[in-house]
Amino acid sequence: GCALACPGRSSRSSANDRDALRGRTMLALRGVAQRGIRAIRGAATRVVTSAASHPHAQLDVDAHAVATLTLQRPERKNALGRQMLGEMRQALQRLQDSTACEVRAVLIRSAVPGIFCAGADLKERKEMSEAEAAAFVTDLRKMMAEVAALPMPTVALVEGLALGGGAELALAADVRVACAARAVFAFPEVNLGIIPGAGGTQRLPRLVGLAAAKEIILSARRVAAPEAAALGLVQRCVALDTQADSADNSSPSSGAAERAAMELTNSIASAAPLAIRAAKAAIDEGYHVLTGPNKQGELSLAMQVEERHYATLLPTSDRVEALNAFAEKRPPVFKGM
């Protein structure tokens, strides 16, 4: 009996051992898998947190309904890469969707000392295929057009280098305020085997004239703020005027230029918001009538554009409020209605 019983016990023992081993193995594998999942989740969280905590472009709106779009990629001199481009287009969509009272003016500026924007990220560009580069430039061109098409006025505060795509970004704004001692504009593309591809060849001639635009783009030379103002590229060229101002690029702002830009945007924001948007639209549409494909565009057509936009303001409460405030000798309270 024992001869028969012992093998049976051994078989049951072996089976139990195998089951125990299998169980321990499964537990070990499960532990490895869980640790792997936690590691992956942790890595993903770090990536998301890193991207979220270090945006390349940030949009803020203050109590005066002035939005500030800040470029903040110091390690690459605010170069326009995929992340910054994506974040800027998201911000522009938010601005496009805002009401006349939610956002009345936009300030585009840099948080990086001595730099507005160095243009396209050439390190990223070097890794792109020809098709990828073409798609990126198309998206960049769309982003510039989105800046220009915003319904509210836009002001670019340039306190450092604005090169290539950075200069094109400044051109896409309605008005440029520049620090006389710091701001520099240039289109170096011809030295890189390309041309300005995000509006530079079209917007620059409309601001400075055909011959001046050709000279600047074809020579790829740098244009300092005072000359840019003389050419019409810059509307307000602000000199350093206090001891607090710094010309050594040690801080993002030169003080005086920032104050001038904020005064301008606050002044715009204090006006009737619907009137501000209508005025911008009328100027843009009428100008394009006179400078579009038909070089002999009639002034009468442009005047019709102005008349149409003016007519949209006649029934507004803001117009009535302005008249009442004038009669009552008080500041008007505009509500965008």
Side-chain angles (χ1 to χ4, degrees):
C2 185
L4 294 174
C6 286
R9 286 195 300 271
S10 176
S11 297
R12 285 193 299 272
S13 177
S14 297
N16 290 338
D17 290 344
R18 285 195 299 271
D19 289 343
L21 179 60
R22 187 180 296 113
R24 288 194 297 271
T25 302
M26 292 300 293
L27 286 172
L29 290 174
R30 188 177 296 115
V32 171
Q34 288 174 343
R35 287 193 297 274
I37 291 171
R38 284 195 297 270
I40 292 170
R41 286 175 177 168
T45 300
R46 286 192 296 274
V47 170
V48 172
T49 301
S50 175
S53 60
H54 299 288
H56 293 172
Q58 170 118 12
L59 181 65
D60 300 289
V61 182
D62 68 16
H64 302 289
V66 174
T68 300
L69 180 56
T70 304
L71 312 183
Q72 47 188 28
R73 193 188 179 196
E75 71 279 4
R76 296 290 299 135
K77 298 183 178 180
N78 284 343
L80 294 163
R82 288 187 174 100
Q83 180 182 330
M84 179 176 280
L85 180 59
E87 290 172 353
M88 290 185 70
R89 295 195 71 184
Q90 289 176 5
L92 292 170
Q93 186 60 57
R94 286 176 56 194
L95 293 170
Q96 183 69 44
D97 294 340
S98 68
T99 67
C101 275
E102 288 172 338
V103 178
R104 300 187 179 202
V106 177
L107 179 66
I108 303 173
R109 64 173 305 167
S110 166
V112 181
I115 298 291
F116 177 70
C117 174
D121 188 330
L122 297 183
K123 284 190 176 181
E124 277 193 16
R125 183 74 61 86
K126 190 174 184 297
E127 303 302 319
M128 295 179 185
S129 66
E130 184 176 332
E132 288 172 334
F136 180 83
V137 173
T138 296
D139 287 342
L140 193 62
R141 191 178 299 119
K142 288 179 180 177
M143 185 271 283
M144 303 296 182
E146 289 162 1
V147 172
L150 286 174
M152 71 290 290
T154 54
V155 176
L157 171 59
V158 182
E159 300 183 278
L161 295 176
L163 308 179
E168 289 175 309
L169 176 59
L171 291 181
D174 295 314
V175 177
R176 283 146 295 282
V177 176
C179 172
R182 288 186 177 185
V184 175
F185 300 84
F187 298 86
E189 285 87 351
V190 294
N191 290 331
L192 299 171
I194 53 177
I195 65 171
T201 62
Q202 303 307 306
R203 292 192 177 94
L204 187 62
R206 285 164 169 77
L207 286 172
V208 305
L210 191 64
K214 287 180 178 178
E215 189 271 335
I216 291 169
I217 290 174
L218 299 180
S219 68
R221 71 180 180 88
R222 296 189 172 194
V223 180
E227 182 187 0
L231 289 170
L233 173 56
V234 166
Q235 285 62 59
R236 295 192 183 184
C237 182
V238 185
L240 301 176
D241 62 359
T242 70
Q243 292 182 350
D245 287 342
S246 171
D248 64 4
N249 292 338
S250 61
S251 67
S253 174
S254 63
E258 179 184 31
R259 289 193 297 274
M262 291 304 300
E263 287 171 3
L264 176 57
T265 53
N266 286 333
S267 174
I268 292 169
S270 69
L274 294 179
I276 287 292
R277 291 190 178 205
K280 174 177 174 174
I283 293 168
D284 285 345
E285 290 183 35
Y287 180 79
H288 291 314
V289 167
L290 293 177
T291 59
N294 178 13
K295 298 300 181 182
Q296 305 302 318
E298 295 288 341
L299 180 60
S300 60
L301 293 177
M303 293 301 294
Q304 290 174 22
V305 171
E306 180 181 270
E307 180 182 4
R308 173 160 49 86
H309 284 283
Y310 190 92
T312 66
L313 300 172
L314 289 174
T316 64
S317 299
D318 279 353
R319 187 184 71 86
V320 176
E321 163 64 8
L323 295 175
N324 291 336
F326 178 79
E328 297 165 11
K329 297 182 179 181
R330 60 173 175 80
V333 179
F334 295 122
K335 299 181 179 179
M337 300 172 60

